Amino acid sequence: SQQGEEDPQALSIQEGENATMNCSYKTSINNLQWYRQNSGRGLVHLILIRSNEREKHSGRLRVTLDTSKKSSSLLITASRAADTASYFCAIPNNDMRFGAGTRLTVKP
Amino acid sequence: DAGVIQSPRHEVTEMGQEVTLRCKPISGHDYLFWYRQTMMRGLELLIYFNNNVPIDDSGMPEDRFSAKMPNASFSTLKIQPSEPRDSAVYFCASSPGVGLVAFFGQGTRLTVV
């Protein structure tokens, strides 16, 4: 099993700006998933990207995957105060492990 | 489906007491995960089950921790005896299959005094 490593650890931006966070991993993957956690709540799945996909969109979210660099990025466009949360990537095998996450703060 | 249901939502107990956390996964999901989250250690995978069978319990911190899944709709995580350092938020999650999306419960906030 493996877990992704998110970067940066923390990110603070103004409302309306874009937020980009990255995930790096070590071995080959079948898919990579991004989750959001609002303070004190359970994680919520945002988007899944398969190893044969390079980019995926969902509303204001855009995820890219570069398997040659073993990295993924999550872009949130036109951020809102409600996007304030921690964001995690996961590389599921039989298990599901998470890194330390990126703590995003969007200031109104 | 109501999602993954955990109980209780909050638990305050005295050191040395037994604590039992409960989880009802989403019906039809074959995988169940237990996690512990603290500021210091982040989100740790404690144990996971496949079709009610424990597959990997290497994340269970000590023998004081035990988990069971007697049937497909119920799992427990027990700490006996509890210690202050066990204070954390414990999450249960379920997934329909290998590599698929995990659905989390709302967590149990445990405080051991």
Side-chain angles (χ1 to χ4, degrees):
Chain A
S1 66
Q2 67 171 318
Q3 65 186 48
E5 298 297 330
E6 296 90 350
D7 173 70
Q9 288 188 341
L11 182 60
S12 182
I13 60 175
Q14 294 293 136
E15 211 166 26
E17 294 180 339
N18 295 342
T20 299
M21 52 207 86
N22 305 295
C23 171
S24 60
Y25 57 93
K26 291 187 168 60
T27 63
S28 62
I29 63 171
N30 291 317
N31 71 68
L32 185 146
Q33 302 178 19
W34 284 92
Y35 290 78
R36 182 187 73 229
Q37 183 181 33
N38 291 95
S39 180
R41 310 291 292 268
L43 276 68
V44 174
H45 176 258
L46 294 176
I47 199 163
L48 180 156
I49 186 164
R50 293 185 172 80
S51 59
N52 61 353
E53 297 176 311
R54 291 297 166 257
E55 189 170 309
K56 205 159 181 181
H57 296 255
S58 177
R60 294 183 295 111
L61 305 181
R62 173 177 163 244
V63 168
T64 60
L65 178 65
D66 187 333
T67 53
S68 66
K69 294 181 179 178
K70 291 186 170 57
S71 68
S72 174
S73 66
L74 170 66
L75 168 67
I76 304 174
T77 60
S79 64
R80 305 166 181 168
D83 295 327
T84 294
S86 291
Y87 292 82
F88 299 85
C89 65
I91 296 100
N93 287 300
N94 290 318
D95 61 13
M96 181 84 74
R97 297 178 190 269
F98 297 87
T102 292
R103 194 166 52 254
L104 173 66
T105 302
V106 182
K107 299 174 185 176
Chain B
D1 203 314
V4 177
I5 300 173
Q6 292 187 245
S7 64
R9 290 293 307 277
H10 302 273
E11 175 83 32
V12 180
T13 190
E14 291 186 347
M15 182 174 62
Q17 296 296 307
E18 177 180 293
V19 174
T20 299
L21 311 182
R22 297 172 176 80
C23 175
K24 177 177 165 50
I26 294 173
S27 177
H29 282 195
D30 291 337
Y31 283 81
L32 184 139
F33 307 92
W34 280 102
Y35 298 89
R36 177 174 71 175
Q37 188 174 38
T38 61
M39 290 292 291
M40 291 295 294
R41 292 198 176 89
L43 190 62
E44 303 172 274
L45 175 64
L46 300 177
I47 185 173
Y48 76 96
F49 296 82
N50 179 23
N51 291 323
N52 313 340
V53 177
I55 303 301
D56 185 350
D57 65 355
S58 60
M60 297 285 262
E62 298 171 34
D63 291 345
R64 298 184 295 106
F65 286 69
S66 63
K68 294 182 180 179
M69 192 164 186
N71 56 62
S73 59
F74 184 64
S75 178
T76 60
L77 178 67
K78 188 174 293 188
I79 309 172
Q80 165 64 15
S82 58
E83 296 181 4
R85 59 193 166 118
D86 301 332
S87 298
V89 181
Y90 291 80
F91 289 102
C92 174
S94 70
S95 175
V98 174
L100 300 181
V101 172
F103 295 82
F104 279 72
Q106 290 302 299
T108 295
R109 183 174 295 276
L110 173 65
T111 303
V112 183
V113 298

